[in-house]
Amino acid sequence: MNITYYGQSCFLFEIGQHRVLFDPFITPNELASHIDVNAIKADYILLSHGHQDHVHDAEQIAKNNNSILVANFEIANWFSGKGVEKTHPMNTGGKVTLPFGTVKMVTAIHSSSLPDGSYGGTAAGFVVETEHTTFYFAGDTALTYDMKLIPEQFDVDFALLPIGDNFTMDVHDAMLAADFVQVDKVIGMHYDTFPYIKIDRQEVQEVAQMADKDLILMEIGQTINL
């Protein structure tokens, strides 16, 4: 599958003929100023929680593409109220089968509120199981022992984990999370966008190498195939 990075925690997965977008925060991100949001095509938009740096462009992209927005009950209802016509509400522990595979909403330890300050439900991550690949999108989270439950149910090929520290795990905890999930390949996210989460790329790569992990730090706009 092709994976395109749009900054912060926003990734577009091309899974067969389906395009699945995670946590779109693009237009306010100075590092992503070269990305044209209106050019992004998405059949599904998955939101891990309600913070602005994960949902800012969801409404616009959903309306541009008539996308199905998948999120917790509170976030799905909030976007319905803003005119997003297609939503699929979920909650932690639930699973839904979609045309590209199954999506299970799993625990994340983090706060969640919507851009207008209203209640954003519980933050979450996703395990996506497709015909050929299974991956874990952690969302914003601390390191949690609940991650050890994931490989008891899924054979995960790679994980997308936050590494920016301050608001989420740092790279040291992310490498432990990779051990918990039993993956050797990690795509880093939630770093560099704001001063609080700036990273030293050489340092985080050294930590990953010491942990025998392949840490991929994508450039904004870059597409890779996994």
Side-chain angles (χ1 to χ4, degrees):
M1 66 176 68
N2 287 333
I3 306 168
T4 302
Y5 184 47
Y6 292 121
Q8 188 67 341
S9 299
C10 182
F11 295 84
L12 179 69
F13 284 73
E14 296 176 58
I15 306 172
Q17 62 182 345
H18 305 288
R19 299 170 68 87
V20 184
L21 185 69
F22 289 80
D23 285 3
F25 173 77
I26 302 164
T27 53
N29 184 359
E30 294 180 359
L31 301 178
S33 60
H34 57 294
I35 303 297
D36 180 5
V37 169
N38 290 314
I40 295 174
K41 305 300 180 186
D43 303 302
Y44 297 87
I45 301 173
L46 275 62
L47 303 179
S48 64
H49 64 292
H51 288 162
Q52 182 170 343
D53 62 323
H54 294 259
V55 307
H56 185 276
D57 295 300
E59 178 185 350
Q60 181 177 346
I61 295 171
K63 290 179 177 178
N64 285 351
N65 293 277
N66 198 27
S67 313
I68 297 174
L69 188 147
V70 180
N72 70 30
F73 179 82
E74 290 80 6
I75 294 171
N77 282 354
W78 191 80
F79 276 101
S80 291
K82 294 177 74 66
V84 174
E85 295 184 356
K86 296 180 180 179
T87 65
H88 185 96
M90 299 185 69
N91 219 319
T92 311
K95 183 168 66 175
V96 60
T97 299
L98 298 169
F100 60 86
T102 62
V103 175
K104 182 164 185 174
M105 184 174 278
V106 296
T107 301
I109 304 300
H110 193 70
S111 58
S112 179
S113 58
L114 288 154
D116 63 0
S118 58
Y119 177 56
T122 303
F126 298 100
V127 178
V128 179
E129 188 174 30
T130 75
E131 183 179 1
H132 301 293
T133 306
T134 300
F135 63 91
Y136 169 45
F137 180 90
D140 280 9
T141 188
L143 179 67
T144 168
Y145 234 57
D146 284 353
M147 293 172 180
K148 288 197 169 190
L149 295 173
I150 292 173
E152 293 188 12
Q153 296 179 298
F154 300 96
D155 184 9
V156 182
D157 295 291
F158 62 91
L160 296 92
L161 303 176
I163 61 171
D165 206 1
N166 196 76
F167 298 112
T168 67
M169 298 187 289
D170 65 1
V171 67
H172 298 277
D173 282 357
M175 294 305 100
L176 281 173
D179 281 340
F180 287 1
V181 181
Q182 297 180 16
V183 295
D184 293 324
K185 189 179 296 293
V186 173
I187 298 176
M189 62 181 182
H190 207 276
Y191 63 90
D192 280 355
T193 313
F194 313 111
Y196 283 126
I197 59 173
K198 292 285 187 182
I199 64 167
D200 180 322
R201 292 192 173 216
Q202 180 177 344
E203 180 181 343
V204 299
Q205 288 290 7
E206 289 173 355
V207 171
Q209 290 169 12
M210 289 293 292
D212 291 324
K213 304 298 181 188
D214 178 13
L215 175 62
I216 301 169
L217 301 180
M218 296 177 64
E219 299 299 327
I220 295 175
Q222 181 186 4
T223 300
I224 62 173
N225 183 269
L226 288 181

